[in-house]
Amino acid sequence: MKKILVPLAALLALVMVSAAWAGTLDDVKTKGFISAGVSGKVPGFSAPDQDGVWRGLDVDFCRAVAAAVFGDADKVKFVPVTTKERFTALQTGEIDVLSRNTTWSLERDAAQGIDFAGVLFYDGQGFMVSKKLGVKSAKELDGASICIQIGTTTEKNVSDYFAANGMTFKPVVFESADEATVIYDTGRADVYTTDASGLAARRTTMSNPDEHIILPEIISKEPLGPAVRQGDSQWSDIVRWTLFALINAEELGVDSANVDEMLKSEDPAVKRLLGQEGNLGEQLGLGNEWAYNIVKLVGNYGEIYDRNVGPETALKLERGLNALWTNGGLMYAPPVR
């Protein structure tokens, strides 16, 4: 009998499609929780607090998905995944959703077997230096040694920026953010570069946070968002519309404190969002109270932003591009109708 050899890539694609056809929603309901891939080491985005409770913007998004599916924001298991393993963990079904400050790019969207659900946080790559260096602009970094994480969009961005500005740099490569923080904080590199939000997060963990500044230049577009496996449109819709519900709730003035009172609203948009009119939840395979549960149990987008990374937190990040479109930002969601 003649043996038929199946290319590994084709076999992997078949496995991924078969897993998708099984139905992620049914899978998570059967096991009773959502497996969420997160970094686990980025304060403000995903990290356990001193009591071991998971906190962060990425974490709260995953809780919002659990609230939509189960009516219980705690039915989620957080799985720390590294930069190298994050996409494989999603492709193979180890996790159901990836919410790990991951940049949405063409190559990742088209060639990694994943779909991005939208933008949870608009970011851009920046540079952090010690105040002792006396640098005020990234254009003064010619010849500097720079911490660069392997396997990220950071590498190409730095090379492009320095080449475009006729400068050179000495790369100090590393595999983890923890390693980079130590290298930079102990003075073995002049500059630490990553997404500006990541710089703000890592600065809070350094020995003397106030001795470091983030330079004004933002050298790239880094739209960070959650992702799911390709091939399961229902699950993609659930994760995508969880994000849209968070944004629409803030725009409509619905928050965790007033959501019960807003059930009495006569505004058609509010009524549809909170399941008081129509059957939009059923079209997602969820109950009509799906968005009500998100807001009641987790809050709207503004609430989760403010409590995790906002001006009153250690990261002290202004809304900026992450403000609603009605306030000059980029946060804009399709209508719930």
Side-chain angles (χ1 to χ4, degrees):
M1 180 181 294
K2 184 178 180 180
K3 292 183 179 180
I4 300 175
L5 300 179
V6 180
L8 180 60
L11 183 60
L12 178 59
L14 179 62
V15 171
M16 289 163 51
V17 171
S18 297
W21 282 345
T24 307
L25 179 60
D26 291 338
D27 289 346
V28 300
K29 284 184 174 181
T30 297
K31 66 184 179 183
F33 61 88
I34 294 168
S35 298
V38 295
S39 167
K41 296 183 178 181
V42 183
F45 287 83
S46 64
D49 64 15
Q50 62 272 20
D51 298 319
V53 178
W54 284 90
R55 307 286 185 190
L57 187 69
D58 288 334
V59 166
D60 277 351
F61 176 77
C62 297
R63 288 199 171 107
V65 178
V69 172
F70 295 108
D72 185 342
D74 293 327
K75 288 192 174 183
V76 53
K77 176 183 178 182
F78 297 103
V79 182
V81 289
T82 66
T83 299
K84 285 185 176 181
E85 68 191 18
R86 54 185 166 176
F87 299 129
T88 302
L90 187 58
Q91 293 162 354
T92 59
E94 179 184 350
I95 57 176
D96 304 307
V97 61
L98 176 68
S99 187
R100 192 196 180 280
N101 52 299
T102 298
T103 300
W104 185 356
S105 69
L106 187 153
E107 188 276 334
R108 290 173 174 176
D109 204 9
Q112 292 288 351
I114 65 175
D115 284 326
F116 283 84
V119 180
L120 181 62
F121 188 92
Y122 287 97
D123 209 346
Q125 187 173 329
F127 299 96
M128 180 163 60
V129 299
S130 169
K131 291 179 180 178
K132 296 177 182 177
L133 202 60
V135 170
K136 303 297 182 184
S137 167
K139 293 182 179 180
E140 300 173 41
L141 296 178
D142 191 18
S145 55
I146 303 179
C147 281
I148 301 176
Q149 186 171 6
I150 297 171
T152 67
T153 55
T154 300
E155 296 177 84
K156 291 181 180 180
N157 292 339
V158 172
S159 296
D160 290 349
Y161 180 78
F162 274 72
N165 286 281
M167 302 189 299
T168 62
F169 68 96
K170 304 179 185 70
V172 181
V173 298
F174 58 91
E175 292 193 359
S176 72
D178 285 342
E179 183 182 356
T181 302
V182 173
I183 290 172
Y184 170 75
D185 199 22
T186 56
R188 285 181 278 164
D190 301 318
V191 184
Y192 186 3
T193 184
T194 188
D195 298 343
S197 64
L199 294 176
R202 282 288 161 177
R203 181 169 58 180
T204 68
T205 69
M206 293 180 180
S207 52
N208 293 291
D210 293 338
E211 292 184 2
H212 305 275
I213 60 171
I214 298 173
L215 299 177
E217 287 86 358
I218 298 296
I219 68 169
S220 70
K221 295 185 293 184
E222 306 294 335
L224 311 181
V228 297
R229 284 182 297 281
Q230 285 181 353
D232 188 339
S233 60
Q234 181 187 44
W235 185 246
S236 293
D237 286 343
I238 289 170
V239 175
R240 180 177 301 109
W241 280 95
T242 293
L243 174 58
F244 292 160
L246 289 167
I247 297 169
N248 276 316
E250 182 182 10
E251 183 179 338
L252 293 169
V254 182
D255 58 35
S256 58
N258 69 13
V259 65
D260 287 322
E261 184 64 26
M262 293 294 276
L263 289 172
K264 305 172 186 176
S265 173
E266 293 302 319
D267 183 334
V270 174
K271 293 174 72 173
R272 288 192 297 269
L273 177 70
L274 299 183
Q276 300 302 294
E277 182 177 283
N279 65 337
L280 298 177
E282 293 176 14
Q283 295 177 31
L284 291 171
L286 305 175
N288 259 12
E289 69 287 351
W290 67 282
Y292 165 85
N293 287 333
I294 290 173
V295 180
K296 179 68 174 179
L297 300 175
V298 184
N300 63 32
Y301 181 81
E303 289 181 276
I304 68 173
Y305 185 100
D306 287 343
R307 71 168 167 259
N308 291 302
V309 301
E312 301 303 317
T313 68
L315 273 66
K316 298 180 172 60
L317 298 179
E318 299 293 339
R319 287 289 291 268
L321 295 178
N322 295 293
L324 294 177
W325 67 284
T326 51
N327 294 326
L330 298 179
M331 279 298 167
Y332 181 103
V336 179
R337 67 160 60 111

